[in-house]
Amino acid sequence: LALKEGLADQDVEVRDSTLHAISRVLFSLRERGDKSADTIVLPQLSKVSQTGAESEQVAASAILFQLGDEQQRARLLAALHSSQPLVRRLALEFAPADENALTEALTDVDRGVRFTAAKRLLERGSQKGIPALRDAAKLSDVTGLIAYGKLRSIGENVTIPEGIPQLLTASDLSVRLQALDALADMPPE
């Protein structure tokens, strides 16, 4: 119920966090065979996918698509061409984009869009995104750490970005948590 109320919050960040939490809860429940939350949450997600801010619509559509709603496919593919970088990143992360769309996104003006496309290409076994991952791996932020880990996982010779240890002591808790998540996903040295 609290998550349902979070979708109506006035603060965009609260709504965004709520969408991510709903996604985790729904998938966790479904893994256990429990679909009881669907009747409460799916109508709300459908509403957000129609009436929220563009990034919220795409996030809600992505969740619905992952839950099997094929009607969201067109919405996600259209979002690949949004004027907003966040929307393009979300769409790349979740849309059933083909390799040509992902390759095209490697030339996007937004570094985050290029990074997301490179990750998706690597997940598909394509090496086309390695230059974008190498560029990202030079950054002293969580993106740089993730890129470093992705490159190491495929045996690329890459140096850990300077400043990465400071991420673990950053004043922002979310940065520390993201860094720990990235480290947990890395292959052992």
Side-chain angles (χ1 to χ4, degrees):
L1 184 59
L3 292 177
K4 183 178 172 184
E5 290 174 7
L7 290 173
D9 197 279
Q10 294 298 314
D11 188 329
V12 173
E13 288 185 29
V14 170
R15 293 191 308 265
D16 183 52
S17 293
T18 300
L19 284 167
H20 290 296
I22 285 171
S23 174
R24 287 191 302 272
V25 168
L26 281 176
F27 286 106
S28 177
L29 289 172
R30 281 181 164 223
E31 283 178 0
R32 295 184 210 151
D34 184 353
K35 293 186 178 184
S36 61
D38 289 9
T39 57
I40 298 168
V41 178
L42 292 182
Q44 294 298 315
L45 286 173
S46 289
K47 181 179 177 184
V48 172
S49 75
Q50 301 294 321
T51 60
E54 187 179 14
S55 61
E56 295 168 345
Q57 288 181 19
V58 171
S61 290
I63 295 168
L64 291 167
F65 181 73
Q66 289 180 315
L67 292 172
D69 183 350
E70 282 294 321
Q71 293 178 352
Q72 303 303 320
R73 178 184 297 270
R75 170 91 172 109
L76 291 171
L77 291 173
L80 292 171
H81 304 289
S82 171
S83 63
Q84 296 181 35
L86 172 60
V87 172
R88 293 193 306 275
R89 283 194 305 266
L90 284 169
L92 280 171
E93 194 72 47
F94 298 106
D98 61 17
E99 189 164 330
N100 289 335
L102 294 170
T103 302
E104 181 182 322
L106 290 173
T107 63
D108 195 280
V109 296
D110 183 77
R111 155 178 88 100
V113 171
R114 293 190 305 272
F115 173 70
T116 301
K119 281 192 322 179
R120 288 282 314 272
L121 284 164
L122 189 63
E123 289 165 4
R124 292 174 170 211
S126 172
Q127 306 273 314
K128 291 180 181 179
I130 288 178
L133 288 173
R134 284 193 168 283
D135 286 343
K138 295 174 186 172
L139 304 169
S140 297
D141 60 10
V142 174
T143 299
L145 182 58
I146 293 169
Y148 169 80
K150 296 284 185 192
L151 290 166
R152 295 265 310 148
S153 73
I154 60 168
E156 288 286 314
N157 184 17
V158 61
T159 306
I160 192 162
E162 288 186 31
I164 291 300
Q166 288 80 2
L167 292 176
L168 297 172
T169 59
S171 60
D172 185 342
L173 176 62
S174 68
V175 169
R176 292 193 312 263
L177 293 173
Q178 290 172 5
L180 287 170
D181 282 344
L183 286 170
D185 290 339
M186 282 189 197
E189 298 224 356

